[in-house]
Amino acid sequence: MRSPREAGGGTSLSPTLSLLFIAPAAILVLAAFGLPFLLLLALSLASPVEGSLVPDMSNPTLAAYSRILGDGFYLRTLATTLAMSLATAAGCLALALPLAHWLARRAGRARRVLTAIVLLPLACGALLPTLGLVHLLGPLGVVNGTLRGLGLIASPLPLLGTQLGIVIGLIQAFLPFAVLPILAVLDRTPPVIEEAAITLGATPARLWVRIILPLAWPGLLAGGLLVFCSALTAFVTPQIVGQGKVATFAMLAYQQALQVLDWPFASALAVTMLAALALAAVVTFSLARLRP
Amino acid sequence: MRHRLVGTVAFAVAALPALAQDFAGQTLVVGTWGGDIERLLRTHVAEPLEAETGARVEFLLGGSSDRMAKLYAERDNPTMDVTFQNIYEAPQLLADGLVVAPDPESPAFKAIWEGMNEGCYAMSLVGLGIAYNKQLFPEPPEWADLWKPDYHGRIAMAPYPSSESDGFLAVAARLAGADEHDPDAAFSKLAELGPPALTYTSLDEIFALMDAGEVAAAPMISGYVLSSLADWENIGFVFPTDPGPVLVRDMVCQVANSPNPELARMFIERAVGVETQTAYAEELMFGPTNSSVTLSGEAATGTINTPEEVATLVQLDWPWLIEQRPEWTERWNREILGQ
């Protein structure tokens, strides 16, 4: 009888050799993420020096954090950013679930081409599609121009420079992050389950709620978390579509880091954002247990 | 005969590196804005300097705040030799020891109008005026006209911090009977305009909206605006008189402890020299700081180029404004954008 290891056809590596193989990745993560993160943390505790932009690292203080937590403006901005990120995640999932299901079950031969089209925003980067959106959503853009031409509105709808516009832009940018995990999960579940439900008389609504949604749940959670985190830290889309009029946490961090050059405060804003991301991950993992 | 020709060519080839040997192999790194500014600096400063010294000039393009952040991040080991900054950044850089103080004995210092070299050497003079839609404003507006109820919420503004927004706050304070030292007056007066119609970051964006009347007017800096107006018949630009336009300066700085200090000084001498300053004025409508430049025609009328004109401009207390920056950024976020 063959041992499972032999059956798998693999050969086991000695512990030293496996360490050697993961070492490059571990070093990369440590150097590219771990050390800068520690620096960020240290910088967020530095104290500002009167009349200078060079922070004093020898005198740690929590002043930057108390400025964020003790000020309605920053807390409101954090709440707005979280709400916009949640709306983006919800919007992406609502669009991604039927789209992924259709791609998995019905697209047939066109699937490859259609999946490539869905992934296109990832290949273009954030800037080009966002600039395209400015032309669509602007006061002189396609949407307002069409509505005005049809006589439906007298003055252009304010789509740019609003939270709604930013959420539209973020959904457009991050939809692939939601489609891919759901598609991967649906691909792994045999279509016969859904066919059996229909044969047994399930209505379409019941099929979606009782069969497809629970099957896709892990994909929905993974996609939701990816979109939420990307939206929370997004900078380009809120900056361009928001026209600098809607404050988000990432924009405040940019403003403080690169325009005001208050690096301790900018670092504290970034650390707060990271804390929000960690919290989002914890919430998602606990939701994973609540599979419907 | 042929022998002589070969000999001459050989001599010339051998002599070329000899002339330039002092700086051959060195690379001067200059941080500046892209587009026309880079083009003019390349033609009038970098290329002659390269020919004269054998050094190479490399431009690092981007916004001045990016350069400012780079200077602070690299403060122990700078890689830039020369950097172009705004007037509101230069004195802070000098205070933190990141740039070399302008040398009063240098030809560059002496060529520039007195009192202009704050923190670094003054490179060009521009004024904050008003760009406006000509149909909405049949007559060129004064600052106070922007506060008429018809234009509520239709004035575009630059992001904060910027020379434009500091200047506009200072104007608002003066209209309220104070000056920039009274931030309460400045912010509450500016907030009366309503939220900005647009926070503009590109000329094309704001001019398209201004042309269509979606944006009525915006405080903007002459120079680029004036040189772009030819493409926009429906948009005008005016230097108001009550108060006068706000003087804004671009500065050129020698980075402290940079790898090539001598080349940096030579670059700066050429940058503030008559040739470059004349090209800046004629092609970009940037007023010269070099007092020996004489302009004619369009460049003379469009730019700030005489001490008398400078005297009519509002000069802000920049060192004081820089100290207020963190607090004013917060107030701008809350009181202007957050309306």
Side-chain angles (χ1 to χ4, degrees):
Chain A
M1 193 172 152
R2 296 182 349 157
S3 74
R5 192 194 294 161
E6 284 168 307
T11 46
S12 103
L13 298 171
S14 76
T16 333
L17 206 58
S18 6
L19 272 182
L20 212 65
F21 273 110
I22 61 163
I27 291 169
L28 187 72
V29 168
L30 198 70
F33 181 75
L35 291 178
F37 177 71
L38 289 179
L39 186 67
L40 189 77
L41 213 55
L43 203 55
S44 74
L45 300 173
S47 46
V49 178
E50 184 80 36
S52 166
L53 289 175
V54 183
D56 177 12
M57 306 276 281
S58 64
N59 198 7
T61 163
L62 286 170
Y65 291 98
S66 58
R67 189 170 153 200
I68 296 171
L69 299 174
D71 187 322
F73 174 74
Y74 292 104
L75 292 178
R76 268 198 309 282
T77 308
L78 183 61
T80 312
T81 314
L82 289 172
M84 285 199 299
S85 309
L86 267 180
T88 306
C92 277
L93 292 180
L95 291 173
L97 182 61
L99 180 59
H101 185 262
W102 189 80
L103 282 172
R105 302 283 187 253
R106 294 178 194 266
R109 283 189 190 166
R111 178 177 159 155
R112 277 192 181 179
V113 177
L114 292 171
T115 312
I117 292 174
V118 169
L119 294 184
L120 212 56
L122 288 184
C124 304
L127 195 58
L128 279 181
T130 307
L131 289 174
L133 267 183
V134 169
H135 287 285
L136 280 179
L137 303 178
L140 312 174
V142 176
V143 172
N144 274 313
T146 311
L147 291 176
R148 259 177 155 172
L150 294 171
L152 294 173
I153 51 169
S155 59
L157 300 173
L159 295 171
L160 292 183
T162 61
Q163 292 182 17
L164 175 67
I166 294 179
V167 170
I168 293 174
L170 291 173
I171 290 177
Q172 180 277 136
F174 299 133
L175 187 62
F177 288 144
V179 174
L180 284 183
I182 301 174
L183 190 58
V185 169
L186 289 178
D187 272 340
R188 286 203 307 269
T189 57
V192 287
I193 300 177
E194 290 165 38
E195 287 158 19
I198 295 167
T199 316
L200 293 173
T203 59
R206 207 172 163 79
L207 174 73
W208 275 93
V209 175
R210 297 295 298 275
I211 310 293
I212 300 173
L213 204 61
L215 284 177
W217 188 243
L220 285 167
L221 283 182
L225 182 65
L226 281 176
V227 172
F228 178 82
C229 294
S230 310
L232 187 65
T233 51
F235 172 69
V236 174
T237 306
Q239 173 75 30
I240 295 178
V241 179
Q243 298 186 308
K245 289 199 274 187
V246 182
T248 66
F249 235 57
M251 279 171 56
L252 290 182
Y254 169 82
Q255 189 183 45
Q256 292 294 331
L258 282 159
Q259 296 183 311
V260 182
L261 294 177
D262 185 345
W263 291 356
F265 191 50
S267 307
L269 288 168
V271 171
T272 310
M273 252 192 309
L274 285 171
L277 290 182
L279 195 68
V282 170
V283 170
T284 310
F285 287 128
S286 40
L287 279 178
R289 288 197 221 112
L290 298 175
R291 188 172 186 154
Chain B
M1 176 70 194
R2 197 171 154 200
H3 234 72
R4 240 170 64 194
L5 189 66
V6 171
T8 316
V9 169
F11 174 78
V13 169
L16 263 178
L19 281 171
Q21 68 189 354
D22 283 350
F23 298 98
Q26 294 185 24
T27 302
L28 182 79
V29 180
V30 177
T32 190
W33 295 274
D36 288 330
I37 291 198
E38 182 219 356
R39 181 174 56 80
L40 291 186
L41 287 176
R42 195 176 285 285
T43 317
H44 297 282
V45 186
E47 283 167 10
L49 190 69
E50 284 176 340
E52 184 192 336
T53 61
R56 226 168 60 79
V57 177
E58 193 180 291
F59 284 103
L60 195 72
L61 304 178
S64 71
S65 59
D66 298 341
R67 289 194 286 283
M68 185 97 168
K70 188 176 167 67
L71 289 168
Y72 277 91
E74 295 180 344
R75 61 184 176 275
D76 298 325
N77 194 14
T79 54
M80 271 193 298
D81 296 287
V82 175
T83 180
F84 285 74
Q85 301 294 148
N86 288 313
I87 175 60
Y88 64 79
E89 297 160 333
Q92 181 69 59
L93 286 170
L94 183 63
D96 278 328
L98 300 183
V99 295
V100 178
D103 174 9
E105 296 308 314
S106 67
F109 193 101
K110 289 175 184 161
I112 295 168
W113 281 331
E114 214 181 307
M116 291 277 169
N117 299 317
E118 277 182 279
C120 301
Y121 297 94
M123 178 69 199
S124 48
L125 302 178
V126 277
L128 183 74
I130 304 171
Y132 60 96
N133 175 301
K134 285 184 186 167
Q135 268 147 15
L136 294 171
F137 293 95
E139 296 293 316
E142 276 294 330
W143 293 114
D145 294 333
L146 305 185
W147 268 261
K148 287 182 178 164
D150 288 356
Y151 309 119
H152 185 85
R154 294 175 72 185
I155 308 296
M157 298 178 202
Y160 193 88
S162 63
S163 319
E164 289 93 334
S165 296
D166 275 324
F168 201 30
L169 278 167
V171 166
R174 279 166 175 77
L175 291 178
D179 66 18
E180 65 268 24
H181 296 90
D182 184 349
D184 291 340
F187 277 96
S188 62
K189 182 72 185 173
L190 198 61
E192 286 173 16
L193 288 176
L198 166 77
T199 299
Y200 68 84
T201 48
S202 90
L203 288 185
D204 281 339
E205 184 186 23
I206 186 170
F207 283 165
L209 291 174
M210 198 179 280
D211 185 51
E214 295 295 333
V215 167
M220 294 185 88
I221 286 177
S222 57
Y224 275 141
V225 172
L226 285 172
S227 52
S228 315
L229 275 190
D231 304 332
W232 301 93
E233 249 175 58
N234 201 19
I235 297 174
F237 181 84
V238 63
F239 280 140
T241 58
D242 182 25
V246 178
L247 174 64
V248 178
R249 268 165 287 168
D250 285 343
M251 313 295 284
V252 55
C253 313
Q254 184 187 343
V255 179
N257 308 314
S258 86
N260 303 294
E262 201 169 330
L263 278 171
R265 278 192 291 274
M266 292 163 85
F267 186 96
I268 293 171
E269 290 293 347
R270 280 187 184 272
V272 301
V274 172
E275 181 193 331
T276 316
Q277 296 268 312
T278 309
Y280 256 58
E282 283 173 354
E283 294 192 41
L284 305 182
M285 297 282 179
F286 278 32
T289 53
N290 187 317
S291 55
S292 314
V293 172
T294 44
L295 297 174
S296 56
E298 203 188 341
T301 49
T303 60
I304 299 151
N305 64 93
T306 63
E308 296 76 43
E309 278 176 307
V310 170
T312 66
L313 302 183
V314 174
Q315 303 231 30
L316 303 184
D317 183 355
W318 288 109
W320 190 82
L321 282 174
I322 291 159
E323 278 176 35
Q324 312 309 312
R325 180 129 303 169
E327 203 193 317
W328 284 31
T329 305
E330 260 187 30
R331 291 193 72 161
W332 185 276
N333 287 342
R334 280 167 217 259
E335 296 172 36
I336 307 300
L337 298 181
Q339 291 186 70

